[in-house]
Amino acid sequence: MGEITNVMEYEAIAKEKLPKMVFDYYASGAEDQWTLQENRNAFSRILFRPRILIDVSKIDMNTTVLGFKISMPIMIAPTAMQKMAHPEGEYATARAASAAGTIMVYKDRNVVAQLVRRAERAGFKAIALTVDTPRLGRREADIKNRFTLPPFLTLKNFQGLDLGKMDEANDSGLAAYVAGQIDRSLSWKDVKWLQTITKLPILVKGVLTAEDARIAVQAGAAGIIVSNHGARQLDYVPATIMALEEVVKATQGRIPVFLDGGVRRGTDVFKALALGASGIFIGRPVVYSLAAEGEKGVRRVLEMLREEFELAMALSGCRSLKEITRDHIVTEWDASLPRPVPRL
């Protein structure tokens, strides 16, 4: 393996190393995969307005998320079934970064309560409630491959809970299994119910509109993750970076807004922060680097993104996260807005 110089290069290595069914499961999006491409492409249409002759000899990337200090605004998204990528799976990823807790809401409220207790006992600091999966999106690669969990793997979180097992199905075994477990009647009242059974802050993951952002604030969410589930649910929703500003404006600064989907460069991180995100989450790059090099790969991905983000800050004239402003970027929807000319 030659010198890896950017996050994207891990994808080709993962494709070589992993069985086709597993790689396709991680890589694919829903239906035409338009949103999958757009999650990346949309970043390339946002340009920089760098400021010059600023002393950038010291750059501070530290930030606070839900009261916890972290060294940079780059975090790891809740990504399922990492042991398909590497035998150490989530353990390796957790060692490479402090992981955020995640749950999926199951039909049996009692099961959710048990999972929440487990998360609390394990020392998790937050719960990411995935809200965009009342049904699983149509991922055609999984249907072609008749995706099912490799025999040596189990859904560990649900061990000891009576949920049945995933069988090979006529299409995607995962879709069939999930259909049997996920609660399609999940609604905002359940977000409130979750707060009655735990003191952990709840991040609502899967918000794409101002309307839902306002309801999330009212429902007591501690934060929002603007996410389209890695473009794996409803195709032709916008890229998350395109939906971000609408959501940020709707929250009016009352709760932090994060973004996942399509982040592959430090410049992407900068663009998300300039549009109002408090931080970003990465998903696929973690799984691909895990497949390629285990814990070392995940560490390297975080290092590369950190270095690139620091460089983007320096070259834009920003010494701390609070110095990153909306004026440091220009988007296609800015064209009609006259920019104020600063007085000298």
Side-chain angles (χ1 to χ4, degrees):
M1 200 188 314
E3 174 78 13
I4 289 176
T5 54
N6 67 61
V7 165
M8 280 84 76
E9 289 175 355
Y10 277 117
E11 182 171 352
I13 300 166
K15 189 171 187 177
E16 268 175 37
K17 281 197 160 189
L18 292 172
K20 184 179 186 321
M21 180 180 80
V22 171
F23 178 79
D24 287 355
Y25 169 75
Y26 289 138
S28 62
E31 297 187 350
D32 299 331
Q33 304 192 112
W34 182 86
T35 299
L36 185 68
Q37 323 278 282
E38 180 66 2
N39 267 356
R40 281 296 305 131
N41 295 342
F43 277 107
S44 68
R45 300 194 298 270
I46 297 170
L47 305 180
F48 287 113
R49 301 181 70 250
R51 302 301 306 275
I52 54 170
L53 292 175
I54 291 165
D55 176 358
V56 289
S57 51
K58 287 193 179 69
I59 303 273
D60 179 12
M61 291 180 286
N62 286 311
T63 188
T64 303
V65 171
L66 304 175
F68 296 93
K69 284 201 167 69
I70 55 173
S71 64
M72 59 180 175
I74 301 166
M75 295 162 284
I76 292 179
T79 315
M81 300 191 251
Q82 293 179 26
K83 278 199 169 175
M84 291 195 306
H86 188 274
E88 293 189 336
E90 286 81 354
Y91 295 118
T93 301
R95 286 197 299 268
S98 297
T102 180
I103 64 166
M104 289 170 78
V105 171
Y106 273 58
K107 278 182 175 167
D108 184 343
R109 289 291 185 275
N110 185 33
V111 169
V112 177
Q114 290 175 58
L115 285 174
V116 169
R117 295 283 160 269
R118 277 186 192 176
E120 289 171 339
R121 283 199 302 272
F124 284 111
K125 302 294 187 269
I127 287 173
L129 178 65
T130 300
V131 294
D132 56 8
T133 321
R135 294 175 59 172
L136 215 58
R138 186 180 167 81
R139 304 163 195 173
E140 292 176 4
D142 289 350
I143 295 168
K144 278 194 173 69
N145 295 331
R146 299 203 169 181
F147 176 84
T148 186
L149 213 53
F152 59 90
L153 289 185
T154 56
L155 294 171
K156 191 79 177 176
N157 269 346
F158 307 112
Q159 266 185 0
L161 312 175
D162 183 25
L163 291 172
K165 68 182 202 307
M166 192 189 302
D167 294 315
E168 190 170 331
N170 292 331
D171 46 18
S172 160
L174 178 68
Y177 177 80
V178 168
Q181 301 299 342
I182 286 188
D183 187 350
R184 293 187 187 182
S185 70
L186 180 69
S187 70
W188 287 107
K189 67 179 186 302
D190 298 299
V191 176
K192 291 192 162 160
W193 168 77
L194 206 46
Q195 291 165 67
T196 67
I197 67 163
T198 183
K199 296 259 189 305
L200 293 178
I202 293 156
L203 292 170
V204 176
K205 176 178 178 283
V207 174
L208 290 171
T209 63
E211 295 91 326
D212 283 336
R214 285 190 282 270
I215 299 170
V217 172
Q218 288 156 11
I224 285 171
I225 304 177
V226 174
S227 172
N228 53 33
H229 212 105
R232 293 157 75 77
Q233 284 300 98
L234 180 62
D235 202 13
Y236 298 99
V237 294
T240 48
I241 195 70
M242 301 299 274
L244 175 63
E245 195 165 35
E246 173 183 328
V247 171
V248 168
K249 283 179 174 166
T251 61
Q252 299 178 314
R254 284 183 286 187
I255 57 174
V257 175
F258 305 94
L259 170 134
D260 79 14
V263 174
R264 300 291 181 274
R265 286 280 189 190
T267 48
D268 299 335
V269 180
F270 187 102
K271 290 169 185 180
L273 268 64
L275 285 166
S278 293
I280 64 90
F281 289 89
I282 50 168
R284 284 187 181 91
V286 170
V287 177
Y288 295 149
S289 57
L290 186 63
E293 297 184 305
E295 181 186 341
K296 179 178 160 225
V298 182
R299 280 180 196 265
R300 186 75 192 108
V301 157
L302 291 169
E303 270 165 31
M304 284 190 288
L305 286 175
R306 182 190 176 88
E307 286 161 10
E308 289 177 10
F309 177 51
E310 186 176 25
L311 183 60
M313 284 178 69
L315 294 177
S316 295
C318 300
R319 294 163 292 200
S320 68
L321 302 191
K322 67 175 187 298
E323 289 189 356
I324 300 174
T325 70
R326 183 64 173 77
D327 285 333
H328 283 99
I329 57 163
V330 60
T331 69
E332 27 190 30
W333 60 90
D334 290 336
S336 57
L337 301 175
R339 287 204 164 269
V341 179
R343 287 200 185 92
L344 291 174

Short mmCIF file of all heavy atoms in Angstrom, two decimals, residues 65-66 68 76-79 82 90-91 93-95 97-103 114-128 156-157 198-203:
data_model
loop_
_atom_site.label_atom_id
_atom_site.label_comp_id
_atom_site.label_asym_id
_atom_site.label_seq_id
_atom_site.Cartn_x
_atom_site.Cartn_y
_atom_site.Cartn_z
N VAL A 65 -18.88 20.10 22.74
CA VAL A 65 -20.10 19.47 22.23
C VAL A 65 -20.89 18.93 23.41
O VAL A 65 -20.39 18.10 24.16
CB VAL A 65 -19.76 18.34 21.24
CG1 VAL A 65 -20.99 17.56 20.87
CG2 VAL A 65 -19.14 18.93 19.97
N LEU A 66 -22.10 19.44 23.59
CA LEU A 66 -22.97 19.01 24.71
C LEU A 66 -22.22 19.06 26.04
O LEU A 66 -22.37 18.17 26.87
CB LEU A 66 -23.52 17.60 24.45
CG LEU A 66 -24.30 17.41 23.13
CD1 LEU A 66 -24.67 15.95 22.94
CD2 LEU A 66 -25.55 18.28 23.10
N PHE A 68 -18.99 18.76 26.52
CA PHE A 68 -17.72 18.02 26.55
C PHE A 68 -16.72 18.66 25.61
O PHE A 68 -17.02 18.95 24.47
CB PHE A 68 -17.95 16.55 26.16
CG PHE A 68 -18.82 15.83 27.14
CD1 PHE A 68 -20.19 15.75 26.95
CD2 PHE A 68 -18.27 15.27 28.29
CE1 PHE A 68 -21.01 15.13 27.87
CE2 PHE A 68 -19.08 14.65 29.22
CZ PHE A 68 -20.45 14.57 29.02
N ILE A 76 -17.23 11.05 14.92
CA ILE A 76 -17.57 9.83 14.20
C ILE A 76 -19.06 9.55 14.30
O ILE A 76 -19.62 9.52 15.40
CB ILE A 76 -16.73 8.64 14.73
CG1 ILE A 76 -15.27 8.88 14.33
CG2 ILE A 76 -17.25 7.32 14.19
CD1 ILE A 76 -14.31 7.83 14.81
N ALA A 77 -19.69 9.37 13.15
CA ALA A 77 -21.13 9.14 13.10
C ALA A 77 -21.46 7.74 13.60
O ALA A 77 -20.64 6.83 13.48
CB ALA A 77 -21.63 9.30 11.66
N PRO A 78 -22.66 7.57 14.15
CA PRO A 78 -23.10 6.22 14.49
C PRO A 78 -23.20 5.41 13.19
O PRO A 78 -23.97 5.75 12.31
CB PRO A 78 -24.50 6.43 15.08
CG PRO A 78 -24.65 7.90 15.30
CD PRO A 78 -23.69 8.59 14.40
N THR A 79 -22.36 4.39 13.05
CA THR A 79 -22.33 3.57 11.82
C THR A 79 -22.47 2.12 12.24
O THR A 79 -21.67 1.62 13.04
CB THR A 79 -20.99 3.77 11.09
OG1 THR A 79 -20.68 5.16 11.05
CG2 THR A 79 -21.04 3.24 9.68
N GLN A 82 -19.82 -2.46 12.13
CA GLN A 82 -18.45 -2.20 11.73
C GLN A 82 -17.58 -3.46 11.75
O GLN A 82 -16.53 -3.49 11.12
CB GLN A 82 -17.83 -1.13 12.65
CG GLN A 82 -18.48 0.23 12.47
CD GLN A 82 -17.91 1.29 13.38
OE1 GLN A 82 -16.76 1.20 13.81
NE2 GLN A 82 -18.71 2.29 13.70
N GLU A 90 -16.28 -1.84 16.15
CA GLU A 90 -16.52 -0.63 16.94
C GLU A 90 -15.48 -0.42 18.02
O GLU A 90 -15.21 0.72 18.41
CB GLU A 90 -17.92 -0.68 17.57
CG GLU A 90 -19.07 -0.43 16.62
CD GLU A 90 -19.49 -1.63 15.77
OE1 GLU A 90 -18.82 -2.69 15.83
OE2 GLU A 90 -20.47 -1.50 15.04
N TYR A 91 -14.86 -1.52 18.52
CA TYR A 91 -13.82 -1.35 19.56
C TYR A 91 -12.67 -0.52 19.01
O TYR A 91 -12.17 0.40 19.65
CB TYR A 91 -13.29 -2.71 20.03
CG TYR A 91 -14.31 -3.55 20.74
CD1 TYR A 91 -14.69 -4.79 20.23
CD2 TYR A 91 -14.89 -3.13 21.94
CE1 TYR A 91 -15.63 -5.58 20.88
CE2 TYR A 91 -15.83 -3.90 22.60
CZ TYR A 91 -16.20 -5.14 22.06
OH TYR A 91 -17.13 -5.90 22.70
N THR A 93 -12.72 1.52 16.44
CA THR A 93 -13.18 2.89 16.17
C THR A 93 -13.27 3.69 17.46
O THR A 93 -12.85 4.85 17.52
CB THR A 93 -14.57 2.85 15.47
OG1 THR A 93 -14.43 2.11 14.26
CG2 THR A 93 -15.07 4.24 15.16
N ALA A 94 -13.79 3.06 18.51
CA ALA A 94 -13.92 3.76 19.79
C ALA A 94 -12.55 4.12 20.36
O ALA A 94 -12.38 5.17 20.96
CB ALA A 94 -14.68 2.89 20.79
N ARG A 95 -11.57 3.25 20.12
CA ARG A 95 -10.22 3.58 20.60
C ARG A 95 -9.64 4.74 19.80
O ARG A 95 -8.88 5.54 20.32
CB ARG A 95 -9.30 2.36 20.50
CG ARG A 95 -9.58 1.31 21.57
CD ARG A 95 -8.42 0.34 21.71
NE ARG A 95 -8.19 -0.39 20.47
CZ ARG A 95 -8.72 -1.57 20.18
NH1 ARG A 95 -9.55 -2.15 21.03
NH2 ARG A 95 -8.45 -2.18 19.04
N ALA A 97 -11.34 7.17 18.57
CA ALA A 97 -12.07 8.38 18.96
C ALA A 97 -13.12 7.99 19.99
O ALA A 97 -13.64 6.89 19.96
CB ALA A 97 -12.76 8.96 17.75
N SER A 98 -13.46 8.91 20.91
CA SER A 98 -14.52 8.60 21.87
C SER A 98 -15.85 8.57 21.13
O SER A 98 -16.28 9.58 20.59
CB SER A 98 -14.55 9.68 22.95
OG SER A 98 -13.33 9.66 23.65
N ALA A 99 -16.48 7.40 21.11
CA ALA A 99 -17.67 7.23 20.28
C ALA A 99 -18.90 7.85 20.94
O ALA A 99 -19.01 7.91 22.16
CB ALA A 99 -17.90 5.75 20.04
N ALA A 100 -19.83 8.31 20.10
CA ALA A 100 -21.12 8.79 20.61
C ALA A 100 -22.10 7.63 20.57
O ALA A 100 -22.06 6.81 19.67
CB ALA A 100 -21.62 9.93 19.71
N GLY A 101 -22.98 7.54 21.58
CA GLY A 101 -23.92 6.42 21.62
C GLY A 101 -25.02 6.59 20.59
O GLY A 101 -25.41 7.70 20.27
N THR A 102 -25.51 5.50 20.08
CA THR A 102 -26.62 5.58 19.14
C THR A 102 -27.60 4.44 19.39
O THR A 102 -27.21 3.37 19.82
CB THR A 102 -26.14 5.52 17.68
OG1 THR A 102 -27.27 5.61 16.82
CG2 THR A 102 -25.37 4.26 17.37
N ILE A 103 -28.87 4.69 19.15
CA ILE A 103 -29.86 3.61 19.22
C ILE A 103 -30.79 3.73 18.03
O ILE A 103 -30.89 4.79 17.41
CB ILE A 103 -30.71 3.65 20.51
CG1 ILE A 103 -31.55 4.92 20.58
CG2 ILE A 103 -29.86 3.50 21.74
CD1 ILE A 103 -32.62 4.86 21.63
N GLN A 114 -34.28 -0.78 27.89
CA GLN A 114 -33.11 -1.61 28.22
C GLN A 114 -31.84 -1.10 27.53
O GLN A 114 -30.77 -1.05 28.13
CB GLN A 114 -33.35 -3.07 27.80
CG GLN A 114 -34.39 -3.80 28.63
CD GLN A 114 -34.63 -5.19 28.04
OE1 GLN A 114 -33.72 -6.00 27.91
NE2 GLN A 114 -35.87 -5.46 27.64
N LEU A 115 -31.98 -0.70 26.27
CA LEU A 115 -30.82 -0.19 25.52
C LEU A 115 -30.31 1.10 26.14
O LEU A 115 -29.10 1.32 26.25
CB LEU A 115 -31.20 0.07 24.06
CG LEU A 115 -31.36 -1.15 23.16
CD1 LEU A 115 -31.88 -0.72 21.80
CD2 LEU A 115 -30.05 -1.89 23.01
N VAL A 116 -31.23 1.97 26.53
CA VAL A 116 -30.84 3.24 27.15
C VAL A 116 -30.09 2.99 28.46
O VAL A 116 -29.06 3.60 28.72
CB VAL A 116 -32.08 4.15 27.36
CG1 VAL A 116 -31.74 5.33 28.25
CG2 VAL A 116 -32.62 4.63 26.01
N ARG A 117 -30.60 2.06 29.27
CA ARG A 117 -29.90 1.72 30.53
C ARG A 117 -28.48 1.23 30.23
O ARG A 117 -27.54 1.60 30.90
CB ARG A 117 -30.65 0.61 31.30
CG ARG A 117 -32.02 0.97 31.80
CD ARG A 117 -31.99 1.86 33.06
NE ARG A 117 -33.27 2.54 33.20
CZ ARG A 117 -33.55 3.73 32.68
NH1 ARG A 117 -32.65 4.39 31.99
NH2 ARG A 117 -34.74 4.29 32.85
N ARG A 118 -28.37 0.36 29.22
CA ARG A 118 -27.05 -0.15 28.85
C ARG A 118 -26.11 0.98 28.46
O ARG A 118 -24.94 1.01 28.84
CB ARG A 118 -27.15 -1.12 27.66
CG ARG A 118 -27.53 -2.52 28.05
CD ARG A 118 -27.45 -3.42 26.82
NE ARG A 118 -28.07 -4.71 27.11
CZ ARG A 118 -28.23 -5.67 26.21
NH1 ARG A 118 -27.82 -5.48 24.98
NH2 ARG A 118 -28.79 -6.80 26.55
N ALA A 119 -26.64 1.90 27.67
CA ALA A 119 -25.82 3.04 27.22
C ALA A 119 -25.35 3.87 28.41
O ALA A 119 -24.20 4.27 28.49
CB ALA A 119 -26.63 3.91 26.25
N GLU A 120 -26.27 4.09 29.36
CA GLU A 120 -25.91 4.88 30.56
C GLU A 120 -24.83 4.16 31.35
O GLU A 120 -23.83 4.76 31.76
CB GLU A 120 -27.15 5.11 31.43
CG GLU A 120 -28.13 6.09 30.82
CD GLU A 120 -29.46 6.16 31.59
OE1 GLU A 120 -29.79 5.21 32.33
OE2 GLU A 120 -30.15 7.16 31.44
N ARG A 121 -25.03 2.84 31.55
CA ARG A 121 -24.06 2.07 32.35
C ARG A 121 -22.69 2.02 31.67
O ARG A 121 -21.66 2.00 32.32
CB ARG A 121 -24.56 0.63 32.59
CG ARG A 121 -25.65 0.53 33.65
CD ARG A 121 -25.76 -0.92 34.15
NE ARG A 121 -26.07 -1.85 33.08
CZ ARG A 121 -27.31 -2.15 32.67
NH1 ARG A 121 -28.35 -1.57 33.24
NH2 ARG A 121 -27.50 -3.01 31.70
N ALA A 122 -22.71 2.00 30.34
CA ALA A 122 -21.45 1.92 29.59
C ALA A 122 -20.73 3.27 29.54
O ALA A 122 -19.63 3.36 29.00
CB ALA A 122 -21.73 1.42 28.18
N GLY A 123 -21.34 4.30 30.09
CA GLY A 123 -20.68 5.61 30.14
C GLY A 123 -20.89 6.46 28.90
O GLY A 123 -20.16 7.43 28.69
N PHE A 124 -21.87 6.12 28.07
CA PHE A 124 -22.14 6.97 26.91
C PHE A 124 -22.63 8.34 27.38
O PHE A 124 -23.26 8.46 28.43
CB PHE A 124 -23.19 6.33 25.99
CG PHE A 124 -22.64 5.20 25.17
CD1 PHE A 124 -23.02 3.89 25.41
CD2 PHE A 124 -21.73 5.45 24.16
CE1 PHE A 124 -22.50 2.84 24.65
CE2 PHE A 124 -21.20 4.41 23.40
CZ PHE A 124 -21.60 3.11 23.64
N LYS A 125 -22.32 9.36 26.60
CA LYS A 125 -22.60 10.73 27.02
C LYS A 125 -23.80 11.34 26.30
O LYS A 125 -24.24 12.42 26.62
CB LYS A 125 -21.37 11.62 26.77
CG LYS A 125 -20.11 11.14 27.50
CD LYS A 125 -20.27 11.25 29.02
CE LYS A 125 -18.98 10.95 29.76
NZ LYS A 125 -18.85 9.53 30.12
N ALA A 126 -24.29 10.66 25.27
CA ALA A 126 -25.44 11.19 24.51
C ALA A 126 -26.08 10.05 23.74
O ALA A 126 -25.47 9.01 23.53
CB ALA A 126 -24.98 12.27 23.54
N ILE A 127 -27.32 10.28 23.33
CA ILE A 127 -28.02 9.31 22.50
C ILE A 127 -28.38 10.00 21.18
O ILE A 127 -28.95 11.09 21.18
CB ILE A 127 -29.30 8.82 23.21
CG1 ILE A 127 -28.92 7.88 24.35
CG2 ILE A 127 -30.24 8.12 22.22
CD1 ILE A 127 -30.07 7.48 25.22
N ALA A 128 -27.99 9.37 20.07
CA ALA A 128 -28.40 9.87 18.76
C ALA A 128 -29.63 9.07 18.35
O ALA A 128 -29.55 7.87 18.15
CB ALA A 128 -27.28 9.71 17.75
N LYS A 156 -24.90 -6.99 18.27
CA LYS A 156 -24.49 -7.15 19.66
C LYS A 156 -25.37 -6.38 20.65
O LYS A 156 -25.68 -6.86 21.73
CB LYS A 156 -23.03 -6.67 19.79
CG LYS A 156 -22.37 -6.99 21.09
CD LYS A 156 -21.91 -8.43 21.15
CE LYS A 156 -21.17 -8.71 22.44
NZ LYS A 156 -20.81 -10.12 22.56
N ASN A 157 -25.78 -5.17 20.25
CA ASN A 157 -26.60 -4.36 21.15
C ASN A 157 -27.86 -5.08 21.58
O ASN A 157 -28.44 -4.79 22.62
CB ASN A 157 -27.04 -3.06 20.46
CG ASN A 157 -26.04 -1.95 20.70
OD1 ASN A 157 -25.19 -2.07 21.56
ND2 ASN A 157 -26.14 -0.90 19.92
N THR A 198 -34.39 8.89 30.50
CA THR A 198 -32.95 9.10 30.59
C THR A 198 -32.62 10.57 30.78
O THR A 198 -33.35 11.44 30.32
CB THR A 198 -32.21 8.57 29.34
OG1 THR A 198 -30.80 8.74 29.53
CG2 THR A 198 -32.62 9.30 28.07
N LYS A 199 -31.49 10.80 31.45
CA LYS A 199 -31.00 12.18 31.61
C LYS A 199 -29.99 12.51 30.49
O LYS A 199 -29.53 13.63 30.38
CB LYS A 199 -30.30 12.34 32.97
CG LYS A 199 -31.21 12.17 34.18
CD LYS A 199 -31.59 13.53 34.74
CE LYS A 199 -32.32 13.48 36.06
NZ LYS A 199 -33.53 12.64 36.04
N LEU A 200 -29.62 11.48 29.69
CA LEU A 200 -28.66 11.73 28.62
C LEU A 200 -29.25 12.70 27.60
O LEU A 200 -30.44 12.63 27.28
CB LEU A 200 -28.28 10.42 27.90
CG LEU A 200 -27.50 9.37 28.68
CD1 LEU A 200 -27.26 8.14 27.82
CD2 LEU A 200 -26.17 9.93 29.16
N PRO A 201 -28.43 13.62 27.07
CA PRO A 201 -28.93 14.52 26.03
C PRO A 201 -29.27 13.73 24.77
O PRO A 201 -28.58 12.77 24.43
CB PRO A 201 -27.77 15.48 25.77
CG PRO A 201 -26.56 14.86 26.38
CD PRO A 201 -27.02 13.89 27.42
N ILE A 202 -30.34 14.14 24.09
CA ILE A 202 -30.80 13.42 22.89
C ILE A 202 -30.57 14.28 21.65
O ILE A 202 -31.06 15.41 21.55
CB ILE A 202 -32.29 13.04 23.04
CG1 ILE A 202 -32.44 12.02 24.16
CG2 ILE A 202 -32.84 12.48 21.73
CD1 ILE A 202 -33.79 11.97 24.79
N LEU A 203 -29.78 13.72 20.74
CA LEU A 203 -29.56 14.36 19.44
C LEU A 203 -30.54 13.74 18.45
O LEU A 203 -30.61 12.51 18.33
CB LEU A 203 -28.13 14.09 18.95
CG LEU A 203 -26.98 14.74 19.71
CD1 LEU A 203 -25.65 14.18 19.25
CD2 LEU A 203 -26.99 16.25 19.52
#
